[in-house]
Amino acid sequence: MISLEPLIFELSKKGRIGLYIEDCEIEEIPKEFLREELNLPEVSQIEVVRHFTRLSQMNWGVDTGPYPLGSCTMKYNPRINEELSWMDEIQWIHPLQDIDDIQGILEIMYKLEKMLSSITGMKRFSLQPAAGAHGEFTGCLIIRKYHKDRGEDRDEMIIPDSAHGTNPASAAMAGFKVIEIPTNEEGLVDIEALKSTVGKRTAGMMLTNPNTLGLFERNIKEITEIVHDAGGLMYYDGANLQGILGIARPGDMGFDIVHLNLHKTFSTPHGGGGPGSGPIGVNELLEDYLPVPVVDFDGNKYYLNWNLPKTIGKVRNWYGSIPVLVKAYSYLLSMGSNGLKLSCYASVVNTNYFMKKVSQIRGFTIPFGNAYRKHEVVISAEKLAKETGVTALDIAKALIDKGLHPPTIYFPPIVKEALMFEFTDTETKENIDKYIEALKEISDIAYSNPEILKKCPNKTLIGRVDEVYANHPKTMCLSYKMYLRKIKENI
Amino acid sequence: MDFFIHPYIPNALILKEMLKEVGIENINDLFNDVPKVNFDLNIPILDEYSIYKEVKSILSKNKVYKKCFMGGGPWFHFVPSIIKYLITRGEFLTSYTPYQPEVSQGVLQALFEFQSMICELYNMEVANASLYDFPTAIGEAILLSSRVTGRRKVIIPSSIPEDRKSVIRNYAINLEIIEVPFLDNGCPDLEYIKKIINKDIAGVYTEIPNFFGVIDFKIKELIEIAHEVEALAIIGADPLLMGIIKPPGDYGADIVVGDGQPLGIPPAMGGNSLGIIACKNDMRIIRQMPGRIVGMTKTIRGERAFTLVLSTREQHIRREKATSNICTNETLLAIAATIYMALLGKEGIKRIAKRIFHNTQYVIKRIKEIGLDTAFKGLHFRDFTIKGINIKKLNKFLKEKEILGGREISENIGLFAVTEIHKKEDIDEFIDLLKEFIRRN
């Protein structure tokens, strides 16, 4: 097969090394336990630099161009935040240093927590969870323990069918039975269905607001009341906080638990899929259930407080994704209260501007009515697919050929041929116009010569990836070792 | 609030114009459905220079130790300069999970290489693209063993630290965890396991080296005991130790987990973590693996390509039936580890492991020379205990000498570590200070 960049294993040549380490002799390990085979590549330092530089060049990032993935909030990642997070005073600190030695980072954690509390209207935060889904899991563990401590046997978690997939997965991991409730024709939680679902077994409800359609659940107070009256707790999935950032707060809406994604709303880079950070905030009711330790201040010193009587314990090693916390803190200072609000305004205007223009393009519809969206909008290409055979996947690949990163596709599952756009506050009007123009052109081609679109992308370094080949048990190849074995076995 | 110019918000001053195209005059019309509550965030806005000054001045209150002997992780290993240089390239740093393979080959191939190198280290055939950290990887491995076997009990060593156990208990919240007592080398008592093991056990977990740094040479026996009742053997193995001793894969381990932090990742107060999970080539296990997995495939034009595979296991498709809830993982740090392993290669990883092992033997030899001893018997790798002195007082004394001491296991037992960055002189100085401390107390 043609390969753009060989695997690093294929660059290996005996007798090369990327780092000088002086050799030494050891004798204590019994011979039968000594390692013999170890097939790591042998490459010099420049080859490593070139290989990974070339790989980076084969990758799209916010630094490369627009990245409108819905529910991912791909904001610009300011480099000053990065630079501060790489200081020795962050990177070369040990978690077990004396409190006196880590006053700096504890101060940042403390101040960040206060800011997140005021942004969400929650009482306290734990900065421990490693990502959004991890925050959800932590929240579910808190809900579980809360009911258990009260001697109540509640094992059902209510989740709308429009929710992020992590919600039901996290609830299930924490031992809950997931009860899915439908979305009504307006794209909102079906209140009647909710009323008939809640009961003695209801542990809580997980809700994203604005939801994944970009619509604000305007009946939120009624929803929280229904769940609270039934004895359940309300969990806020903060993946979509961007849509109301600085405008409204989950705490004021009646949510008991909130997770935030610092790598979304607070601009820390996604790094190709992590490290992220998913702080979890709670109201007074659940303060003592947070993972330990939390950071407190005794008027003189910051310290790690392990004394939360009802704590669920720990959900990961140590105290959280520390460098990510520094980046988020620095970002918050660069925005200030008004900047955060402006950020929300810009992303919501961007979305509605885009929605208005796209709704006029042949083949695309806006499911669940034309109500204004918040930070994101889901477009359906169902009509286009029916009339031309061109699917959301084809559209995504055609956008790539136009130098534009596609939106999230086929999500949420309640929308057929879904294209979920989120431009955040980062995107220029010019780039949003480019997407509108591109979708118009794609629609025109779909109605005139759809076959062309089936072969997209053509201008990328590689052609469309064969997903069937990738996933078939016979051809599936998950490591170099497996690859070598398949060659040997002639597969 | 008036719209104002801001460097991160390019449309700030044309929002009004864009609103007109939407057909509305007032921005508040976009938020009519949101309940109005007044609140003040009270966050100041600073210019870039002021942020830099502010954050730097706060962080200057952190103390960076030049010498560290703290055991139990995270560890102070050397981190080659080019790792930061490469992983902060914007194309890696600012990318999302590689959902669109045609424009994400860089991250995908790097992750495939990560998986491949992890497989080589442990002699396994499949690895995922990372989990959050070591304890969560153990938790996920235990859940994995339960899904594969359909059983609900797991065995873990009682020697692992309480904070790690706490994470495991939270992950295995619906399972029963049985703790095995340890022998005088800190390794699990195999005779005890033999007595209690039966066909209700989903998985047996142990670590190499164990928490006290002792290399467990009975991994093979433990795996055999697990396999006799068709339970899965889960081994937590230090990736650098694999440079000198035979890997768990050689003995038939079903799942291997590891702490990736020693692979070129700075400790960052425990905030840079990388969880490793690998399994053998068994579709029963592979189909139940948690997290992202990258596979090699081809394009419709016939080129080699990489893409995320087996996504029907994952939360965005399978929802409550997913094998895990994990979405965002630790990709960038997995790439850091990949670069580190590429730099070391076959020879380098052996040399670095030998260097660490050599330093460990040397420090223990010197400890014994001055009349002290480790709390556990056996060959140590990197981590070692010192017993018989007051650890709190010792740490205080070392701190005065600008040295970060050990982790307190009990009042008179501390967990320490040496890595490849410790020179003979550093270890000799450490021993001299121990001597001085004993003399004074």
Side-chain angles (χ1 to χ4, degrees):
Chain A
M1 275 190 281
I2 313 156
S3 159
L4 280 173
E5 172 65 18
L7 285 168
I8 190 116
F9 291 86
E10 293 161 340
L11 296 168
S12 178
K13 202 168 165 97
K14 198 173 162 26
R16 288 192 181 145
I17 199 161
L19 203 63
Y20 179 74
I21 301 150
E22 208 172 290
D23 203 10
C24 65
E25 291 307 315
I26 56 166
E27 40 199 46
E28 295 85 349
I29 298 174
K31 200 163 176 259
E32 75 229 71
F33 295 107
L34 274 179
R35 180 117 201 198
E36 287 148 15
E37 279 290 306
L38 210 179
N39 184 29
L40 283 182
E42 296 176 86
V43 280
S44 61
Q45 197 165 103
I46 183 62
E47 289 173 288
V48 174
V49 172
R50 284 180 182 156
H51 176 70
F52 287 97
T53 301
R54 284 194 297 254
L55 287 186
S56 77
Q57 288 167 341
M58 292 154 62
N59 216 63
W60 192 275
V62 176
D63 281 7
T64 322
Y67 217 144
L69 288 175
S71 278
C72 300
T73 315
M74 295 296 282
K75 287 187 177 185
Y76 168 56
N77 311 131
R79 284 305 171 112
I80 177 182
N81 307 345
E82 199 60 31
E83 189 179 331
L84 290 167
S85 78
W86 275 95
M87 281 171 59
D88 281 358
E89 284 78 4
I90 284 298
Q91 296 290 340
W92 291 98
I93 296 296
H94 195 283
L96 291 178
Q97 284 181 216
D98 275 352
I99 289 303
D100 293 337
D101 291 344
I102 51 173
Q103 284 297 303
I105 182 59
L106 292 181
E107 183 177 337
I108 286 189
M109 292 168 80
Y110 184 85
K111 289 182 167 169
L112 176 65
E113 186 194 334
K114 289 273 172 279
M115 288 179 184
L116 299 180
S117 294
S118 71
I119 288 167
T120 54
M122 304 309 284
K123 177 82 190 297
R124 276 224 81 159
F125 267 84
S126 160
L127 305 173
Q128 200 173 112
H134 203 215
E136 292 172 19
F137 177 57
T138 309
C140 288
L141 290 173
I142 290 174
I143 295 173
R144 181 176 161 134
K145 188 150 194 297
Y146 169 79
H147 291 305
K148 213 179 152 201
D149 283 0
R150 291 159 54 96
E152 292 198 11
D153 190 17
R154 293 173 175 268
D155 61 352
E156 292 181 354
M157 189 66 79
I158 300 170
I159 300 174
D161 58 1
S162 63
H164 296 117
T166 48
N167 289 185
S170 300
M173 260 175 91
F176 291 109
K177 204 171 123 197
V178 173
I179 310 290
E180 195 175 88
I181 52 158
T183 298
N184 67 18
E185 66 277 8
E186 287 182 291
L188 304 174
V189 168
D190 186 327
I191 300 281
E192 290 314 309
L194 177 64
K195 279 183 187 160
S196 63
T197 305
V198 294
K200 282 192 175 139
R201 309 222 50 99
T202 302
M205 177 179 190
M206 298 177 83
L207 194 64
T208 311
N209 197 17
N211 65 26
T212 57
L213 298 166
L215 290 162
F216 188 84
E217 299 280 355
R218 64 166 188 271
N219 304 314
I220 186 60
K221 290 244 164 106
E222 195 183 348
I223 294 172
T224 52
E225 250 174 59
I226 294 168
V227 174
H228 282 154
D229 285 351
L233 295 173
M234 284 299 294
Y235 182 94
Y236 182 86
D237 173 346
N240 293 355
L241 182 72
Q242 180 64 28
I244 51 166
L245 181 63
I247 310 285
R249 310 190 297 183
D252 299 329
M253 298 171 203
F255 284 95
D256 303 288
I257 312 182
V258 169
H259 91 254
L260 299 176
N261 298 67
L262 299 187
H263 49 287
K264 294 183 181 180
T265 325
F266 301 96
S267 105
T268 73
H270 286 69
S277 175
I280 181 128
V282 293
N283 57 16
E284 274 121 30
L285 187 68
L286 302 170
E287 203 179 340
D288 287 346
Y289 287 89
L290 285 175
V292 281
V294 289
V295 180
D296 272 323
F297 184 58
D298 66 8
N300 181 32
K301 262 184 208 174
Y302 298 94
Y303 66 101
L304 293 165
N305 179 2
W306 294 82
N307 188 25
L308 296 185
K310 294 172 178 168
T311 178
I312 57 159
K314 290 186 69 64
V315 290
R316 78 184 289 195
N317 238 349
W318 311 114
Y319 320 125
S321 304
I322 302 294
V324 180
L325 305 180
V326 174
K327 292 180 219 187
Y329 179 71
S330 165
Y331 172 75
L332 282 162
L333 294 182
S334 71
M335 302 304 282
S337 313
N338 285 338
L340 292 173
K341 213 166 166 182
L342 183 64
S343 160
C344 173
Y345 283 156
S347 57
V348 175
V349 173
N350 286 347
T351 306
N352 285 289
Y353 171 82
F354 174 74
M355 178 170 93
K356 172 92 183 200
K357 304 266 171 168
V358 166
S359 61
Q360 293 155 8
I361 304 174
R362 190 179 173 198
F364 295 104
T365 57
I366 314 288
F368 301 103
N370 281 327
Y372 296 128
R373 263 51 178 182
K374 295 291 177 285
H375 64 297
E376 68 190 1
V377 60
V378 181
I379 316 285
S380 172
E382 191 185 3
K383 189 165 177 280
L384 191 80
K386 271 191 186 146
E387 291 171 1
T388 70
V390 171
T391 63
L393 182 72
D394 299 327
I395 296 162
K397 304 303 181 194
L399 281 170
I400 292 176
D401 264 351
K402 296 182 181 296
L404 301 170
H405 194 283
T408 301
I409 53 174
Y410 297 109
F411 192 87
I414 53 167
V415 174
K416 290 200 174 119
E417 301 296 331
L419 297 152
M420 187 195 212
F421 282 92
E422 179 180 4
F423 288 103
T424 79
D425 55 341
T426 293
E427 225 38 75
T428 60
K429 178 175 176 289
E430 299 88 297
N431 275 339
I432 299 171
D433 286 337
K434 276 186 200 162
Y435 276 88
I436 295 159
E437 229 16 75
L439 290 172
K440 264 186 209 154
E441 285 171 30
I442 291 166
S443 163
D444 287 347
I445 300 169
Y447 283 102
S448 56
N449 198 354
E451 280 316 301
I452 297 179
L453 297 172
K454 291 280 166 195
K455 295 193 188 81
C456 290
N458 294 303
K459 293 178 186 167
T460 43
L461 293 165
I462 57 159
R464 193 182 292 196
V465 165
D466 188 341
E467 304 283 354
V468 177
Y469 188 89
N471 285 287
H472 194 282
K474 255 224 157 98
T475 46
M476 187 165 56
C477 174
L478 308 179
S479 64
Y480 186 60
K481 202 184 270 284
M482 212 181 236
Y483 173 67
L484 292 182
R485 194 170 48 74
K486 289 199 186 236
I487 291 177
K488 223 171 160 187
E489 291 167 7
N490 225 341
I491 297 167
Chain B
M1 187 191 86
D2 287 331
F3 301 143
F4 60 96
I5 194 163
H6 193 286
Y8 305 160
I9 308 177
N11 292 347
L13 295 192
I14 52 169
L15 291 178
K16 278 193 182 134
E17 191 184 302
M18 293 171 77
L19 272 175
K20 270 190 198 132
E21 301 224 28
V22 178
I24 50 181
E25 286 291 326
N26 190 332
I27 184 97
N28 293 327
D29 293 351
L30 289 175
F31 297 92
N32 277 339
D33 45 2
V34 180
K36 300 278 169 298
V37 181
N38 284 327
F39 56 87
D40 191 0
L41 295 181
N42 259 327
I43 303 171
I45 179 167
L46 301 183
D47 60 68
E48 189 158 324
Y49 174 72
S50 306
I51 296 168
Y52 193 74
K53 241 178 75 178
E54 159 86 1
V55 176
K56 264 197 122 165
S57 114
I58 298 177
L59 289 181
S60 69
K61 296 170 201 163
N62 284 351
K63 183 172 173 61
V64 180
Y65 282 88
K66 295 284 170 280
K67 286 171 189 164
C68 167
F69 286 86
M70 185 72 81
W75 297 274
F76 283 48
H77 287 283
F78 176 67
V79 176
S81 323
I82 70 165
I83 290 182
K84 178 186 167 190
Y85 162 75
L86 288 170
I87 66 169
T88 54
R89 284 185 65 90
E91 302 91 326
F92 283 141
L93 182 73
T94 71
S95 64
Y96 197 72
T97 302
Y99 289 137
Q100 294 293 337
E102 294 85 358
V103 286
S104 309
Q105 283 299 296
V107 162
L108 285 164
Q109 184 170 332
L111 288 176
F112 182 83
E113 291 177 357
F114 170 75
Q115 295 173 183
S116 297
M117 290 188 201
I118 292 300
C119 288
E120 297 299 341
L121 272 187
Y122 293 127
N123 191 21
M124 304 300 276
E125 246 182 75
V126 179
N128 87 356
S130 76
L131 294 170
Y132 305 134
D133 67 1
F134 187 37
T136 63
I138 301 167
E140 288 278 16
I142 283 171
L143 292 176
L144 169 58
S145 73
S146 172
R147 286 194 298 275
V148 171
T149 58
R151 303 174 185 177
R152 310 195 69 80
K153 288 182 185 176
V154 286
I155 293 177
I156 67 167
S158 63
S159 60
I160 60 181
E162 179 50 35
D163 47 0
R164 200 177 293 167
K165 278 184 200 164
S166 178
V167 179
I168 294 170
R169 278 197 294 268
N170 273 331
Y171 269 74
I173 195 155
N174 292 312
L175 307 181
E176 187 186 325
I177 297 171
I178 302 163
E179 292 192 25
V180 182
F182 51 86
L183 306 168
D184 61 358
N185 61 1
C187 297
D189 181 351
L190 297 188
E191 292 309 314
Y192 183 92
I193 297 179
K194 272 189 204 163
K195 263 182 234 154
I196 60 158
I197 201 165
N198 56 40
K199 292 212 165 180
D200 292 337
I201 304 292
V204 183
Y205 172 68
T206 196
E207 291 176 3
I208 175 165
N210 66 32
F211 182 60
F212 310 113
V214 178
I215 304 172
D216 189 345
F217 289 110
K218 298 268 188 208
I219 294 294
K220 184 168 173 259
E221 287 80 351
L222 180 127
I223 293 170
E224 283 167 3
I225 294 168
H227 286 172
E228 262 171 47
V229 294
E230 285 151 22
L232 300 192
I234 308 163
I235 310 297
D238 186 277
L240 289 179
L241 176 62
M242 299 301 107
I244 41 173
I245 69 157
K246 278 191 179 150
D250 284 17
Y251 306 122
D254 301 287
I255 305 167
V256 178
V257 289
D259 187 336
Q261 184 268 326
L263 299 172
I265 298 169
M269 202 171 147
N272 282 335
S273 59
L274 172 62
I276 297 169
I277 188 165
C279 72
K280 62 183 184 190
N281 186 14
D282 176 344
M283 277 317 284
R284 271 187 333 146
I285 306 176
I286 296 171
R287 288 204 182 284
Q288 294 296 337
M289 277 279 272
R292 315 274 186 209
I293 302 178
V294 177
M296 185 196 279
T297 181
K298 59 184 178 62
T299 67
I300 54 173
R301 305 201 296 235
E303 304 132 317
R304 177 197 276 175
F306 301 89
T307 190
L308 294 173
V309 295
L310 294 165
S311 52
T312 49
R313 297 166 299 119
E314 290 191 70
Q315 44 78 27
H316 56 288
I317 294 175
R318 192 58 66 84
R319 302 177 79 85
E320 70 268 21
K321 293 195 181 70
T323 58
S324 168
N325 68 336
I326 192 167
C327 182
T328 289
N329 50 33
E330 302 290 332
T331 294
L332 199 68
L333 298 175
I335 296 176
T338 312
I339 296 164
Y340 183 77
M341 289 186 277
L343 284 172
L344 290 182
K346 182 183 191 163
E347 181 61 24
I349 203 133
K350 280 185 184 172
R351 285 189 180 198
I352 218 153
K354 280 199 277 183
R355 174 66 51 195
I356 296 166
F357 182 78
H358 179 271
N359 284 348
T360 318
Q361 306 320 304
Y362 180 67
V363 73
I364 291 172
K365 184 181 134 224
R366 295 288 330 263
I367 284 167
K368 288 181 176 168
E369 276 172 17
I370 60 167
L372 291 172
D373 203 353
T374 56
F376 297 92
K377 290 178 182 162
L379 276 180
H380 291 68
F381 180 77
R382 186 176 50 210
D383 294 72
F384 58 94
T385 43
I386 300 179
K387 67 170 179 183
I389 40 176
N390 185 295
I391 299 305
K392 239 188 211 100
K393 280 189 193 161
L394 173 68
N395 283 348
K396 212 175 153 212
F397 173 74
L398 290 172
K399 192 181 165 179
E400 284 162 18
K401 312 286 176 190
E402 302 284 305
I403 290 173
L404 185 59
R407 177 168 172 164
E408 210 180 339
I409 300 292
S410 67
E411 198 184 341
N412 292 317
I413 298 176
L415 183 62
F416 296 80
V418 285
T419 70
E420 77 288 356
I421 63 173
H422 293 88
K423 300 281 172 219
K424 184 174 175 294
E425 305 86 81
D426 301 325
I427 294 173
D428 288 340
E429 184 199 0
F430 177 66
I431 296 293
D432 288 343
L433 288 170
L434 278 179
K435 271 201 294 201
E436 198 186 323
F437 175 76
I438 296 167
R439 203 175 53 236
R440 282 200 203 173
N441 288 273

